[in-house]
Amino acid sequence: MWTRHHKKRKFGRLILPAVTVAFLSYFGYHSIHGDYGLRAAQDFERQRIARSAELAELVGRRERLERQVQLLSDGSLERDMMDEKARYQLNMSRPDEIVIFDSYLN
């Protein structure tokens, strides 16, 4: 019966640990710096907070516009509101009036 004896190599024992270290390093790096890593999650959170603030501003603006439309609707048409809108849209006033524009109308 013939048996083969291999010479013990110094680097043979390091192949599996080297592959394991390379594997863990690759996935470790991408779990922090990758497209869906920890840093990307922080960027997404900052973007979500900014968009939430923008949404709140737009919702407030929409509510103001809805109130103005409600004042101009058929059932509750107010002469003062209609007069104000007409003067603002036509950019006209009487000669004896002083006009002060408010920024919420822009």
Side-chain angles (χ1 to χ4, degrees), residues 10-73:
K10 294 179 183 178
F11 299 113
R13 290 181 288 177
L14 298 178
I15 291 175
L16 182 61
V19 169
T20 304
V21 166
F23 181 80
L24 290 176
S25 298
Y26 175 80
F27 286 107
Y29 176 81
H30 286 287
S31 69
I32 294 172
H33 300 286
D35 290 340
Y36 300 104
L38 295 176
R39 289 194 178 173
Q42 291 172 351
D43 291 340
F44 287 145
E45 184 64 21
R46 275 190 236 112
Q47 189 177 29
R48 185 191 65 80
I49 290 170
R51 297 269 168 89
S52 295
E54 183 181 352
L55 176 64
E57 178 185 337
L58 290 174
V59 166
R61 184 175 175 204
R62 188 181 116 224
E63 289 173 354
R64 283 193 310 272
L65 290 173
E66 284 177 352
R67 273 183 270 148
Q68 288 179 357
V69 168
Q70 185 179 11
L71 291 174
L72 292 173
S73 65

